Structure formats: C-alpha cells, structure tokens
Amino acid sequence: MQNLSVRTDADDVRRNDRRRRPVRPPSETAALRVLETVNLLSEDERALIRRLSLFRESIQSGRPFWRAGQSVGAKLVLSGWAARQRTLPDGRRQIFGFLIPGDVIGIGVAPSPLEEVSTVALTRVEAVDALMLREILALRDERHCRLLAALSQLRRQEEACLLDHIMRLGRQSALERTAHFLLEMHCRTRAAGLAQGDCFPLPLTQEVLADALGLSIVHLNRTLQQMKRDGLIELRSGWATICDRSHLEHLADYGPHDD
Amino acid sequence: MQNLSVRTDADDVRRNDRRRRPVRPPSETAALRVLETVNLLSEDERALIRRLSLFRESIQSGRPFWRAGQSVGAKLVLSGWAARQRTLPDGRRQIFGFLIPGDVIGIGVAPSPLEEVSTVALTRVEAVDALMLREILALRDERHCRLLAALSQLRRQEEACLLDHIMRLGRQSALERTAHFLLEMHCRTRAAGLAQGDCFPLPLTQEVLADALGLSIVHLNRTLQQMKRDGLIELRSGWATICDRSHLEHLADYGPHDD
DNA sequence: CGTGACGTTGATATGATTCAACTTGAGTGG
DNA sequence: CCACTCAAGTTGAATCATATCAACGTCACG
C-alpha cells in the first residue's frame, strides 16, 4: 500500500507513529481516476488536470475547507476528506456528505445549494484551486467535452447520494443506515482508486459518522460493534472492510431502485 | 376563496360535499406566479407558458404522475399536489418532497436524479406536457433567458429543500421537524400564490405527512395535536394556518443559515 | 345503514439518547 | 523511559422519544 503512488487519507492516520516527513507532492491520480471511472478522458483533458496541480494548497484537519456561500472559487480535492455540514444553534450537527479525493466543489455553471453549505476538513486536505478549470470549461471547447460530462455526472451522483441520505435518515434503522452508508463509501472510494478489494479508507471518527447518520455517538458505537460481532465488517485505524457484502446489501436494501 | 381564479388543490378536498361539476379549465396563473416570484418574465415568455396549456392532462389522485427514470418527457404542474417517493421492499416509504402548482419536472438540460424518483399524485393533478418548453429553452433564445433563469433557480430551491429535509430528518425532533416543514410549505405555497396570509393549502393526509417527516402516523398525529393545543397552528380540511410564526420559526430554527 | 378512509386515543414495547465512568492508545515533555 | 495528557472509543444504567398494536370515532359516500 505504502508504495502505491496514491496517497490516501488513511495514510495520515496510520503514519501517526512516525515523525512527519516533509510533504511529498500528492499525486493527482485519485482525481483522475474518479473522473475516468465516469468517462474516459482525452490526453488533452488529463494534461489540463495535471497542470492544475501547480495551484496546490493544503488545509489542516479541522479547518474550514469551503465557507458557506463562498461565491467565487472552485476546488478539486487531491487527497484528504472533508465534510459538508450545518449546525443548529444548540450545537447539533448534521453532515450532508463527504468530499473525498477526486471530488470537486464550485465548478459548474449554475451554483448549487451544496456550495452554500460550509465544508470542513476532516483530515489534512490537499486541493488545487480549480477556478482556471471552471473558466476553461465555461468556454465549452470541444476538446474538453468529456471532462465536462464527467464533472456533470459527478454532480448527479452527488445529488443521488443526497436522496439516499434522506432515505436512510427518514426510514432506516441505525443498523440499516450504517450498513448502507458503508456500502456507499466503499463504492465511492473504489471509484477513486482508494480501495483495495473489500477494504477501503474511512478516516472518520465515530462522532463524525454519528453526525452523518443522524445517530448519537454511543448508539453508533454499539451499532458498529454489533456489525463487527456479526462478521459484517471490520474496522481498524481508519480503514473499513466489507466482510459479508451480500448480507450487508440485503440488510440495507442497497442497490438500484425501481419504484 | 371560491371566486378566485386560482384553483387550489384544497378546493378538491372541500368540494367533497357537492356534486362534482364538469372540470373547469384550470388557470395557469399559479404556474406563472411561481416563476414570476423568482424572476419577472417578458410578455413573450408568458405567452409561451400560456400556449402550453393546450397540451393539458389530468392525473387522478393516487396514480403515478411521473415514473422513475421516465427518460423523456417534461411536465409543468398547473394544479394539484404530487409526492416524490421511494419505497423499501418491506413497504416503508420515504417522501423526498412535494410538487405543487408551478413546479416542473423533466426540464433542464442535465437530467437530475430527482427525475429518477417516482412521483405519485396526491390529489387530482392538472399538468401540461412541457416537452415543447424544454426544446424551446434548449435553443437558448435570448427572448427566453429570464424564463430559463427562473426555472434554474426553481431547481436550486428544490435542491436546497433536500438539504433542509436532511437536516430535519437527521437532527430535529418530531416537533421541530413538523414546524420546519410547515413553514417551508407556507413559503412555497405563498410563492405560488396559493396562500392567503398565514393560511395555506395542505391537502395531505397524516400518513403522507408522516412519510415525509420520517415519523410514524400516530406520533405525527400527537405532534400536530400538541402544536394545535399550544396555539402554534390550526388545521382543517386541507388547509393549515400559521398562528404563531415567530414561535414556530424559533422552534424550528427556520431561516437562512450562516455556519 | 353499511363501508372505507382518515383521524384519534391508550397501553405497551423498543430503539435511541443521555450521563457518567472507564479504557485505550498515541503524542508530549520531563 | 516514564508519567502525563488528550482524544477517541467503550460500557452500563437510567431515561426519553418514538414506534407499534389495537381499538374506537367521525365523516362522506354509495
């Protein structure tokens, strides 16, 4: 794992026991993989993404990654995770979703309400300013049409995840929600080339997980323990493993919908 | 009320006690008002909407209004309410949102995942086939740019409602959810010109309401009763009244978000 | 005068939250 | 190397919010 060129966020977690070395330049392959998954890109388009890497920035864990209503600006995540979240006056927090490597925010002609939601880094996040990308795409040059299509499909997947999230929060039990969420994250990390078979990075504390799933931290903990006890999943140091996929999928009603 | 030109859905409910008369042509003003609220339209654009009324169709309450993945097709609701919903294998249902007069589905260049959700009529629904509208807008004629802007803002509002829905389901109590939802519906019906001051049509059974708010029907019933007892709202025959707005807004944390 | 859809109610069960204590493991500084 | 600290995870007990079940009321309609 360590010698792959993809720097995962869970690496951050697992490298805790060593002295932090100077930051290696993060590879842009995760970003490219996400987009490729969706749509094969031309060499022109890949080069465009790679050139962006010059405008790299690094956000510390816990710092805001994107401020609500940041009217101008656009970012492409190279590595690290962030959470879109909103907080009630009394402190209750709801997480709407996660940004993982290859995800993008602020691109797209029409502004999305998702960009009105503040986003906070959950690990160290390496990102590039994608304003240039946005402007290039706005020209609707034919050479970039596949990239454009890939990005707009990415946006559609994001919206589909919102719907799944509503289904989970409104009508599924703690166990079902958690199972469904883990399957979704496995799918997303796999698309980003971050997963290894049934094993995928999940650099989230139980508190964060609970705030995403609309559960208390204690109840989430018990739910996870039950899932481990039942041999459905394994969790350790920022990584999750799907042990019994078919059982999980059945439990969570995971898959395409036809009603 | 009865002599206003806007035919509301709640009229359907309240007219139960009379012989059903031949269907009067529904006015298109609700549709226009929704769009106008967002953006003043030119006379050209209004005329366009009015002309659409020729392709009118009527959907019975309970029948599907839009099938999941109906790849082609576009509709504009003139009157009546419909629910976007998904059902789990064991029958649990989650409602993602409601279509009210002036709402539109299937327009928009990029297909939205919301259009992958099946939609069912909750009252009789009068709609027009807006395929023509979609094609006209796709031309990006300058004369229709305001209409285009209005429609895309409508879509943004829809997505914002999804986020509010997630917040409600994930982190608010039954009371808060219900309050928040009622305020949202008041706002939306007002924009459609259907509300009368603090009073607005709400032609939803408690079962439907419960499935939207992620509550059991019994608990929703008790919650509504408490709200009535506390003088927050009134409900009767398909209409709701906001009695104590400031209290409700405070209770539900309703309003713009800044975190 | 049934019949069915919707709403209401009480009793009871359960899933989830809260609180508080304790564990574990990694980072930090003496 | 040890003691300390802090964040994250774990556990049990008590409590609360919400669900479930079953019965009953009401009203419109045929």
Side-chain angles (χ1 to χ4, degrees), chain A residues 98-221:
Chain A
F98 298 97
L99 290 170
I100 69 173
D103 281 339
V104 89
I105 187 170
I107 301 195
V109 276
S112 155
L114 265 178
E115 288 155 15
E116 294 292 315
V117 171
S118 64
T119 298
V120 84
L122 299 174
T123 66
R124 189 163 54 85
V125 171
E126 304 278 341
V128 293
D129 185 322
L131 257 185
M132 193 180 89
L133 182 57
R134 179 171 153 185
E135 279 159 19
I136 290 173
L137 291 176
L139 298 176
R140 305 194 158 274
D141 184 327
E142 213 179 54
R143 290 184 312 168
H144 302 125
C145 67
R146 285 163 163 215
L147 183 53
L148 198 64
L151 287 169
S152 87
Q153 180 159 349
L154 215 51
R155 178 134 178 261
R156 253 173 282 139
Q157 283 172 6
E158 237 165 31
E159 199 176 327
C161 284
L162 288 184
L163 295 179
D164 284 346
H165 210 44
I166 290 179
M167 199 71 200
R168 281 192 293 252
L169 294 173
R171 282 301 182 223
Q172 293 196 292
S173 70
L175 198 64
E176 293 166 329
R177 275 181 228 194
T178 310
H180 195 284
F181 174 82
L182 289 175
L183 289 168
E184 180 177 299
M185 288 322 299
H186 181 232
C187 174
R188 285 184 62 196
T189 49
R190 186 155 28 90
L194 299 172
Q196 300 218 308
D198 290 331
C199 191
F200 63 99
L202 193 75
L204 308 176
T205 65
Q206 295 192 349
E207 183 180 7
V208 166
L209 228 29
D211 283 343
L213 295 176
L215 298 170
S216 73
I217 201 174
V218 174
H219 194 58
L220 173 76
N221 178 286

Side-chain angles (χ1 to χ4, degrees), chain B residues 16 173-174 214-216 218-219 222:
Chain B
N16 275 337
S173 71
L215 298 170
S216 74
V218 175
H219 193 59
R222 294 195 228 266

Side-chain angles (χ1 to χ4, degrees), chain B:
Chain B
M1 191 69 215
Q2 294 287 359
N3 52 7
L4 283 185
S5 60
V6 179
R7 282 191 62 260
T8 68
D9 333 292
D11 286 340
D12 287 350
V13 173
R14 297 192 303 170
R15 219 178 18 255
N16 275 337
D17 49 341
R18 290 171 229 159
R19 290 258 136 207
R20 195 159 295 245
R21 282 168 288 172
V23 180
R24 282 177 294 159
S27 86
E28 70 285 1
T29 50
L32 278 178
R33 286 213 197 140
V34 173
L35 298 171
E36 291 280 12
T37 301
V38 158
N39 207 332
L40 282 178
L41 302 183
S42 69
E43 192 43 54
D44 263 357
E45 291 166 322
R46 287 180 214 208
L48 176 59
I49 297 276
R50 287 206 202 86
R51 243 177 293 129
L52 283 178
S53 306
L54 298 174
F55 304 87
R56 184 176 301 146
E57 61 183 314
S58 179
I59 295 100
Q60 267 191 321
S61 171
R63 312 300 291 256
F65 170 65
W66 180 274
R67 271 175 231 279
Q70 187 166 336
S71 51
V72 68
K75 295 193 177 173
L76 169 63
V77 178
L78 295 180
S79 75
W81 288 43
R84 305 176 194 272
Q85 62 176 36
R86 194 185 288 165
T87 308
L88 289 171
D90 66 356
R92 281 175 290 176
R93 169 174 72 160
Q94 178 63 46
I95 291 178
F96 297 109
F98 298 98
L99 290 170
I100 69 173
D103 280 340
V104 89
I105 187 171
I107 301 193
V109 276
S112 155
L114 265 178
E115 288 154 15
E116 294 291 314
V117 171
S118 65
T119 299
V120 85
L122 298 174
T123 66
R124 190 163 53 85
V125 171
E126 305 279 339
V128 293
D129 185 321
L131 257 186
M132 194 179 88
L133 182 57
R134 178 171 153 184
E135 278 159 19
I136 290 173
L137 291 176
L139 297 178
R140 306 193 158 272
D141 184 328
E142 212 179 56
R143 291 184 312 169
H144 301 126
C145 67
R146 286 163 161 214
L147 182 54
L148 198 64
L151 287 169
S152 86
Q153 181 160 349
L154 215 52
R155 180 135 177 260
R156 253 172 283 139
Q157 282 172 7
E158 237 165 30
E159 199 177 328
C161 285
L162 288 185
L163 295 179
D164 283 346
H165 210 43
I166 289 178
M167 199 70 201
R168 282 192 293 251
L169 295 172
R171 282 301 182 221
Q172 293 196 293
S173 71
L175 198 64
E176 293 165 329
R177 274 180 228 195
T178 310
H180 195 284
F181 173 81
L182 290 175
L183 289 168
E184 179 177 301
M185 288 322 299
H186 181 232
C187 174
R188 285 185 61 196
T189 50
R190 186 156 27 91
L194 300 171
Q196 301 219 307
D198 290 331
C199 192
F200 63 99
L202 193 74
L204 308 177
T205 65
Q206 296 192 349
E207 184 179 6
V208 167
L209 227 29
D211 283 343
L213 295 175
L215 298 170
S216 74
I217 199 175
V218 175
H219 193 59
L220 174 76
N221 179 286
R222 294 195 228 266
T223 305
L224 288 175
Q225 284 180 60
Q226 189 192 331
M227 294 177 76
K228 289 188 243 176
R229 240 184 289 121
D230 296 350
L232 298 174
I233 60 164
E234 276 177 21
L235 292 176
R236 35 177 252 286
S237 62
W239 286 77
T241 307
I242 306 288
C243 298
D244 188 344
R245 162 169 291 273
S246 64
H247 193 153
L248 275 176
E249 286 180 350
H250 185 255
L251 177 64
D253 185 39
Y254 189 82
H257 310 278
D258 38 40
D259 52 84

